[in-house]
Amino acid sequence: MVKSEKIPTVSGWHFRIKLSAVAVFRDPSFFSLNGGWQADGKGPSIWDTFCLEKGRVFGEQNGDEACNSYELWEKDLECIQQLGLTHYRLSFSWARLLPDGTTRHVNQKGVQYYNKVIDDLLACDVSPMVTLYHFDLPQALQDQGGWKSAGTATLFNDYAKFCFQTFGDRVKLWITVNEPYVCAKLGHEDGLHAPGIKEPGVAAYLVGHNMLRAHAMAWHSYNSFYRTKQKGAVSLAINSDWLEASVAGCAEDVAATERQLAFTLGWFAWPVFVTGDYPKIMRSAIDAQSEKFGRSGGSRLPSFSKDEPAVLGTADFFALNYYTSRKVEAGGGCGEVLSMKSDRDARDVLDPSWPICGVSWLAVVPHGLRKLLKYIKDTFNNPAVYITENGFSQVGQLQIEDVQRSEFYKDTILEVAKAIQEDGVNVRGYFAWSLLDNFEWADGFSVRFGLFHVDFADARRGRTIYRSGREYAKIISKFQCGQSK
Ligand code: BGC
């Protein structure tokens, strides 16, 4: 970790980053089980249901209130202003706007809430970036098959059109689906996220496919009906680790790394940015495994239909969520069970020199982001990139003076600066994850990603800035309006 003396170096650079660093949150009160959602007209989501199942979430916690941004939005706005953010990424809750997931019934209170959030942001000169789908499918749609059902993509398109129509006069940056990889893999292969489905080697590919179809339909809707008037931009947020061969130059590890990349970043980026179809190595690995397991009846990886809007070219920018890096070696997947792991036949390894911060999967590797950005530039024809998530977690003993996280943000933003300055990557913005400590999915409140601490033991949900929040504010104050001061 570098020392804070590095800050002056950053300010000396001519940063081409157009947006200053910004922070993100998701609607932290989208899980409202205790009747609150009924009072507000919000429908339940798959996370509401998941939290009710024993053993799913750390300490049987739930997001009934979380940081209660639904009622405490003004407090969040104060935090945003205290940091001096120019942009703010937030996630709509589909079931708050359309309780049963369809446009048959619109919850006006939900519309009012998001209108207020957007208007307040704009009044403070903060531009919203809105994510339409962040893991929380309306339960009513799950009951009809969820993302495994082709029809969910069509209903998502209706929901997206409703949002473009209702909020698009003011929202200019849209993310359709956040991290389809995580929804597909953790939600439908591993069963660790809602809806908790465990159908290895089958469901995740179908879910990923329907999410890509949903995204493509929504992008085409925007393009055909709203773009000319609203002049916004639409993409999907793709998460990826930086991956490199465990032993550099070892042909097996290099090939395993390529496979692993194809099954993660490539799975969603290739169809949208390169060919309109999945990476060839992904399809051939899946089909070879199907043959080995004697599975007939077509590929487990679906194909895009020519009768539907094309998926190729449906991103106005590359939205990247980056948290960590891994070394990769061959193997780990040749067992007897059909699964994504055996399809990709590649194993992640942690480099012992990379410190783990908080949550066990998050090895701190700021330079991995620079490498990944360069890879994206080279592989996807130099797209405009927004880093839509990047962050550092705390677990256990609370540290308001979180020196490590402060260093993490400085180190990481320096790497982004180098990617721009030295590698010529077209980075347009950086969003830290997250503004507030929040309900961290299956980890409940045990993992804290915020720049502000939230006191979940107190009904008022007090927000206290961490040292990293103060440092972050200093860093981004140097990069306002596309220039370094
Ligand atoms: C998600 C966030 C989550 C973060 C840290 C991303 O996968 O988009 O919702 O909090 O990672 O786990």
Side-chain angles (χ1 to χ4, degrees):
M1 293 294 217
V2 292
K3 301 254 164 51
S4 45
E5 287 83 50
K6 274 218 164 171
I7 282 298
T9 321
V10 180
S11 63
W13 289 349
H14 297 289
F15 228 58
R16 275 196 301 111
I17 200 160
K18 261 214 210 134
L19 312 172
S20 77
V22 280
V24 296
F25 86 145
R26 57 177 178 263
D27 173 353
S29 51
F30 57 60
F31 323 101
S32 311
L33 294 166
N34 284 346
W37 63 268
Q38 283 167 321
D40 286 344
K42 177 189 170 293
S45 84
I46 53 174
W47 271 92
D48 293 312
T49 310
F50 194 66
C51 290
L52 284 175
E53 291 170 22
K54 283 242 164 306
R56 294 296 204 175
V57 175
F58 174 86
E60 311 297 334
Q61 294 170 339
N62 62 56
D64 288 9
E65 284 193 38
C67 19
N68 198 8
S69 285
Y70 192 63
E71 281 167 20
L72 301 177
W73 157 244
E74 267 98 2
K75 296 267 170 248
D76 295 358
L77 191 58
E78 283 168 22
C79 298
I80 290 169
Q81 289 179 291
Q82 194 176 343
L83 293 180
L85 306 182
T86 60
H87 289 68
Y88 188 55
R89 178 175 173 225
L90 66 140
S91 305
F92 282 178
S93 158
W94 187 344
R96 186 180 293 295
L97 288 164
L98 309 179
D100 71 359
T102 75
T103 48
R104 276 194 300 266
H105 169 55
V106 175
N107 176 24
Q108 288 307 332
K109 285 214 166 143
V111 174
Q112 275 164 26
Y113 172 63
Y114 291 126
N115 269 334
K116 177 163 171 50
V117 170
I118 292 165
D119 291 345
D120 287 354
L121 285 169
L122 292 173
C124 296
D125 260 343
V126 179
S127 306
M129 174 187 266
V130 169
T131 299
L132 293 174
Y133 185 75
H134 200 137
F135 303 173
D136 59 331
L137 191 73
Q139 183 60 44
L141 300 189
Q142 187 61 43
D143 296 342
Q144 293 165 38
W147 284 109
K148 282 166 65 182
S149 155
T152 299
T154 316
L155 293 173
F156 177 82
N157 185 34
D158 292 345
Y159 161 57
K161 283 194 287 188
F162 168 78
C163 291
F164 298 148
Q165 177 73 35
T166 312
F167 307 103
D169 54 336
R170 290 152 293 151
V171 175
K172 302 300 163 193
L173 289 168
W174 294 98
I175 299 294
T176 54
V177 178
N178 180 66
E179 301 191 347
Y181 176 89
V182 172
C183 300
K185 170 91 168 36
L186 271 64
H188 300 80
E189 167 97 7
D190 305 331
L192 297 172
H193 270 199
I197 292 173
K198 228 172 166 174
E199 292 172 4
V202 181
Y205 300 129
L206 186 56
V207 165
H209 189 70
N210 285 328
M211 289 190 148
L212 276 168
R213 292 177 51 245
H215 159 77
M217 286 184 205
W219 184 90
H220 282 284
S221 294
Y222 192 82
N223 204 40
S224 308
F225 307 117
Y226 301 98
R227 186 187 297 282
T228 316
K229 198 147 178 230
Q230 299 185 350
K231 301 190 171 42
V234 182
S235 190
L236 75 171
I238 299 179
N239 62 293
S240 185
D241 300 345
W242 168 245
L243 303 172
E244 56 192 34
S246 186
V247 177
C250 161
E252 281 198 332
D253 289 359
V254 171
T257 308
E258 275 172 21
R259 277 199 305 281
Q260 184 81 323
L261 262 171
F263 272 84
T264 50
L265 179 70
W267 181 2
F268 298 97
W270 220 260
V272 171
F273 289 92
V274 187
T275 57
D277 196 5
Y278 298 106
K280 278 200 181 115
I281 27 176
M282 185 178 181
R283 189 175 291 285
S284 56
I286 291 171
D287 292 349
Q289 282 297 100
S290 292
E291 208 178 310
K292 188 174 142 198
F293 283 97
R295 247 190 97 101
S296 54
S299 179
R300 282 175 287 132
L301 188 63
S303 296
F304 293 99
S305 158
K306 297 224 175 349
D307 301 331
E308 287 198 335
V311 71
L312 182 63
T314 58
D316 301 320
F317 55 92
F318 199 111
L320 172 71
N321 291 0
Y322 169 81
Y323 283 93
T324 190
S325 294
R326 290 286 185 272
K327 302 268 179 176
V328 182
E329 53 191 36
C334 297
E336 297 310 308
V337 192
L338 192 75
S339 69
M340 193 179 284
K341 207 168 170 194
S342 67
D343 287 338
R344 66 190 181 194
D345 190 23
R347 184 168 39 215
D348 284 350
V349 205
L350 271 173
D351 184 320
S353 71
W354 297 338
I356 300 285
C357 84
V359 67
S360 61
W361 53 265
L362 211 166
V364 180
V365 196
H367 69 263
L369 176 54
R370 177 180 176 187
K371 291 185 177 177
L372 186 56
L373 287 169
K374 175 77 165 62
Y375 175 86
I376 287 170
K377 176 191 173 200
D378 296 343
T379 313
F380 304 115
N381 195 22
N382 195 17
V385 180
Y386 285 83
I387 297 149
T388 35
E389 280 183 35
N390 175 243
F392 184 105
S393 68
Q394 265 191 42
V395 294
Q397 183 69 40
L398 170 66
Q399 285 175 40
I400 294 290
E401 290 302 311
D402 55 344
V403 176
Q404 270 197 315
R405 179 161 29 197
S406 309
E407 297 301 323
F408 162 85
Y409 276 118
K410 286 171 203 161
D411 292 349
T412 306
I413 292 169
L414 270 169
E415 292 297 333
V416 175
K418 287 185 207 162
I420 296 167
Q421 192 74 11
E422 295 172 29
D423 305 335
V425 183
N426 185 8
V427 179
R428 296 288 179 83
Y430 171 91
F431 291 73
W433 182 268
S434 173
L435 182 69
L436 305 177
D437 287 344
N438 200 354
F439 180 81
E440 177 52 28
W441 309 113
D443 289 325
F445 299 101
S446 67
V447 174
R448 297 183 293 270
F449 271 95
L451 291 168
F452 284 80
H453 171 254
V454 176
D455 185 357
F456 293 107
D458 172 10
R460 284 163 304 181
R461 297 292 193 266
R463 282 100 160 106
T464 308
I465 193 163
Y466 286 108
R467 179 197 189 111
S468 55
R470 297 196 307 268
E471 295 291 336
Y472 188 72
K474 277 193 218 156
I475 300 172
I476 66 174
S477 71
K478 298 178 195 303
F479 301 120
Q480 302 288 352
C481 307
Q483 311 156 4
S484 57
K485 282 185 185 158

